[in-house]
Amino acid sequence: MDIYCDYHVHTEFSSDSRETMTAICQAAIQCGLKEICLVEHVDLIPWDKTSGFFKPDDYMAEVERCRAKFAGQLTLRAGVEVSEPHLVAQEASALLRAWPFDFVLGSAHWIDQSGIYLDRIYEGNSPEFVESEYLKCTLKVAEAGDFDSLGHLDLIRRYRPVGLGPFDTLAYADLIRAILRTIVQRDKAIEINTSPLRKGRKAASPDLTVLRWYRELGGEKLTLGSDAHYAHDVGAGIDVAIGMALEAGFSRILTFERRQPVWIPL
């Protein structure tokens, strides 16, 4: 299956990656991708220890260098993944006005202001509390964030301890449907994020059930992303995401240029 694009890739301009942009671009070309979008983390909330890491001037300079270096081999889009955009609306707006980003991913990464990330948040909390709170935070992002696509709608499935069994989509149907209705009403996209598959989970984020709900509610806009932080993960699972999209009834996906959608047939 032709994996045209990967719209969720990180480099050393994100606090949790050490890969150079050159290495990422080379990996994308090697696995047959035609287009990638680098959505570097923009963490502006005060309880995030990496707040302020992203340097847009250095990032955009490197994007331009790599665009020239790989011209004719790879389309390279500049993007950001804004964490909790509804909580940092003023700061995020200033950043997005100042730089010519192609794409903005809006994501939830926290359930409270404790500074405890999702990989440890189940410790001392019930799974029902953690998962419902995460989805409530995602709903707030969907309702008020400035973004083009909603990232990893149910990312919490990636961090659910294996001993608890798989994340139960149906248990949170009302919350998830509220998120999807909001996305449709605001004419935004949702992402199929394949990173849970690399973590041994049985489904992407979100799963096929959620994609079908989204379609039933009138949703049409999808982006696909591996959430790669390492060169060897670029494009990973995108073929699975395409298969999921087709099975759920979608016939096209979105890419972006200067935040304007471009439809790509599947």
Side-chain angles (χ1 to χ4, degrees):
M1 187 176 292
D2 185 20
I3 54 169
Y4 179 86
C5 63
D6 186 342
Y7 255 60
H8 192 154
V9 182
H10 297 279
T11 75
E12 62 188 349
F13 291 95
S14 291
S15 61
D16 54 359
S17 175
R18 295 295 178 267
E19 291 284 15
T20 66
M21 199 175 294
T22 293
I24 290 292
C25 290
Q26 290 172 335
I29 293 168
Q30 288 170 3
C31 72
L33 287 163
K34 309 298 188 299
E35 181 172 332
I36 62 171
C37 187
L38 307 174
V39 289
E40 310 296 358
H41 286 298
V42 172
D43 302 309
L44 300 170
I45 48 180
W47 61 86
D48 188 333
K49 295 178 182 178
T50 65
S51 180
F53 181 90
F54 179 63
K55 303 296 186 235
D57 48 351
D58 294 340
Y59 166 71
M60 291 302 298
E62 185 66 0
V63 166
E64 292 304 322
R65 189 189 72 80
C66 285
R67 280 174 171 165
K69 180 178 178 66
F70 298 105
Q73 301 178 74
L74 182 70
T75 297
L76 183 60
R77 298 301 186 197
V80 285
E81 180 180 9
V82 183
S83 182
E84 277 67 29
H86 61 297
L87 298 180
V88 292
Q90 185 173 349
E91 298 91 333
S93 178
L95 176 71
L96 299 181
R97 287 196 310 269
W99 299 95
F101 296 116
D102 292 300
F103 176 63
V104 178
L105 197 64
S107 299
H109 290 109
W110 308 88
I111 70 168
D112 57 30
Q113 301 183 23
S114 66
I116 300 174
Y117 192 61
L118 301 178
D119 56 352
R120 294 194 299 114
I121 202 67
Y122 280 92
E123 299 171 12
N125 290 302
S126 72
E128 294 79 13
F129 172 79
V130 170
E131 291 156 8
S132 62
E133 287 302 303
Y134 179 81
L135 291 169
K136 288 175 185 176
C137 291
T138 301
L139 177 57
K140 291 176 182 177
V141 172
E143 290 172 336
D146 180 2
F147 60 88
D148 302 310
S149 183
L150 179 69
H152 45 58
L153 184 154
D154 52 8
L155 175 67
I156 200 67
R157 73 165 62 241
R158 193 169 91 188
Y159 297 100
R160 181 180 169 92
V162 174
L164 295 175
F167 177 83
D168 184 1
T169 296
L170 297 180
Y172 303 100
D174 289 346
L175 264 174
I176 293 172
R177 285 179 177 274
I179 294 167
L180 297 174
R181 280 194 296 270
T182 301
I183 290 295
V184 172
Q185 290 166 1
R186 295 190 67 201
D187 197 27
K188 303 293 186 182
I190 66 169
E191 173 192 54
I192 304 178
N193 184 299
T194 63
S195 65
L197 301 174
R198 297 196 302 277
K199 303 293 183 180
R201 311 305 180 181
K202 294 183 178 180
S205 175
D207 64 10
L208 185 59
T209 296
V210 175
L211 290 181
R212 285 172 169 156
W213 289 346
Y214 179 52
R215 183 74 173 158
E216 291 166 3
L217 290 167
E220 296 183 333
K221 296 184 173 182
L222 292 176
T223 62
L224 311 180
S226 66
D227 207 344
H229 290 69
Y230 303 95
H232 62 257
D233 287 331
V234 175
I238 297 298
D239 55 341
V240 176
I242 292 171
M244 291 173 60
L246 289 169
E247 189 171 352
F250 296 89
S251 60
R252 55 185 184 170
I253 58 170
L254 281 177
T255 61
F256 285 81
E257 183 175 2
R258 294 295 179 93
R259 301 196 68 184
Q260 295 302 307
V262 179
W263 290 102
I264 305 295
L266 294 176

